[in-house]
Amino acid sequence: MATAYEVLEISPKASREELEAAYATKRAVYAAERHANLPDEMQQLAALRRSQIAEAYMSLRTAVASPVRLAPEAERRRDRETILALLLLVVIAALVPLFRDVAVPARSVQASGAEAAALQANVAPPFTLSTLDGQQVSLADYTGQVVLLNLWATWCPPCVRETPRLVRLHETYKAQGFAVLGINTTYQDARGDVEQFVRDHAVSYPILLDTEDAFGSAYRARVLPTSYLIDRSGSIVQVRVGEIDEAQFEEQIVELLKASGKQP
């Protein structure tokens, strides 16, 4: 008795496309209309052959469409590789939240906040920068105040997200001797974008333009955003790499103002 492969005249290794082509060819050869004028006996043989072809095709269609079964060792290796790939995806998914709150400046050497954090408990380095309207502003202008320096850029998503928090802190405590200074990394930003950002987000605190990375170098900043909280004596008491925690910073600001005899 002929096998299904022999009926369709294809190899056991035939592809799905080869199976379909062989089936179409055989159906055309034994089509009923081609045998309509033959004797009844020949028509019956043709009908039998069409039935065998259809049966052979149906028996092979699922087998040919199924993936080739691997040797046991190869299947175990494939399973191990699949498991490792899934574990890698899980690890990546777990790490994403750790990095979503920081942006790395294009000119930074390394995404690390360790250098900036090393400044904590030291006197804040002096600086003088221009505002958007061309005025010169120095850290010394804020001597005796509690100051929050925030290094940011318009293209930095966490910087954008934390801006309303900074505005709220500035507006809430500015009358008690607190100031926020936004230090824009203008050397890798566009001044027009900065101006538009200030308008769109109703930024009420001064924006200073770091056009040559002078502030970033002095404050060892390598990650955006980075914020520095400075007490009335001019010492850095907190360095935050990434988005600020508004509640935490507000608590610290209140304590620093109280320590200086100023009640918010």
Side-chain angles (χ1 to χ4, degrees), residues 89-191:
L89 289 174
V90 170
V91 171
I92 292 174
L95 290 176
V96 165
L98 300 179
F99 296 99
R100 68 184 179 185
D101 291 341
V102 297
V104 182
R107 291 173 55 183
S108 292
V109 177
Q110 184 179 1
S112 171
E115 293 182 72
L119 288 173
Q120 193 162 316
N122 293 326
V123 174
F127 64 84
T128 300
L129 296 171
S130 295
T131 62
L132 285 168
D133 57 8
Q135 297 184 26
Q136 295 292 301
V137 173
S138 300
L139 180 60
D141 298 334
Y142 294 85
T143 299
Q145 297 190 49
V146 176
V147 181
L148 178 59
L149 305 177
N150 176 252
L151 187 65
W152 69 284
T154 61
W155 47 262
C156 161
C159 300
V160 176
R161 290 195 298 267
E162 73 176 1
T163 296
R165 307 169 202 163
L166 296 172
V167 171
R168 283 194 295 270
L169 290 173
H170 175 74
E171 290 300 317
T172 301
Y173 297 103
K174 64 181 181 180
Q176 286 76 45
F178 171 71
V180 176
L181 298 179
I183 316 296
N184 174 258
T185 56
T186 320
Y187 65 93
Q188 57 183 15
D189 212 335
R191 186 187 178 107

Side-chain angles (χ1 to χ4, degrees), residues 15-225:
S15 64
R16 180 62 180 268
E17 290 75 15
E18 291 172 329
L19 170 64
E20 296 293 344
Y23 179 50
T25 299
K26 290 294 184 180
R27 285 183 59 190
V29 170
Y30 293 97
E33 57 270 19
R34 294 192 59 181
H35 302 88
N37 297 324
L38 295 177
D40 290 345
E41 183 179 351
M42 297 298 294
Q43 290 187 41
Q44 291 175 3
L45 288 175
L48 176 61
R49 192 62 172 166
R50 286 196 301 273
S51 176
Q52 292 174 336
I53 291 169
E55 184 179 354
Y57 170 72
M58 294 301 295
S59 68
L60 292 179
R61 186 173 62 175
T62 303
V64 172
S66 301
V68 178
R69 185 168 182 81
L70 302 175
E73 180 57 33
E75 286 196 346
R76 285 193 291 271
R77 182 169 60 253
R78 181 189 61 188
D79 292 343
R80 288 196 298 269
E81 292 172 350
T82 301
I83 292 172
L84 288 174
L86 291 173
L87 288 174
L88 179 60
L89 289 174
V90 170
V91 171
I92 292 174
L95 290 176
V96 165
L98 300 179
F99 296 99
R100 68 184 179 185
D101 291 341
V102 297
V104 182
R107 291 173 55 183
S108 292
V109 177
Q110 184 179 1
S112 171
E115 293 182 72
L119 288 173
Q120 193 162 316
N122 293 326
V123 174
F127 64 84
T128 300
L129 296 171
S130 295
T131 62
L132 285 168
D133 57 8
Q135 297 184 26
Q136 295 292 301
V137 173
S138 300
L139 180 60
D141 298 334
Y142 294 85
T143 299
Q145 297 190 49
V146 176
V147 181
L148 178 59
L149 305 177
N150 176 252
L151 187 65
W152 69 284
T154 61
W155 47 262
C156 161
C159 300
V160 176
R161 290 195 298 267
E162 73 176 1
T163 296
R165 307 169 202 163
L166 296 172
V167 171
R168 283 194 295 270
L169 290 173
H170 175 74
E171 290 300 317
T172 301
Y173 297 103
K174 64 181 181 180
Q176 286 76 45
F178 171 71
V180 176
L181 298 179
I183 316 296
N184 174 258
T185 56
T186 320
Y187 65 93
Q188 57 183 15
D189 212 335
R191 186 187 178 107
D193 291 343
V194 178
E195 294 173 343
Q196 186 64 49
F197 183 94
V198 170
R199 289 193 295 269
D200 292 345
H201 292 80
V203 178
S204 56
Y205 51 83
I207 296 297
L208 311 184
L209 307 178
D210 188 8
T211 58
E212 299 179 354
D213 196 23
F215 178 91
S217 297
Y219 281 75
R220 306 176 191 175
R222 293 293 181 269
V223 177
L224 296 181

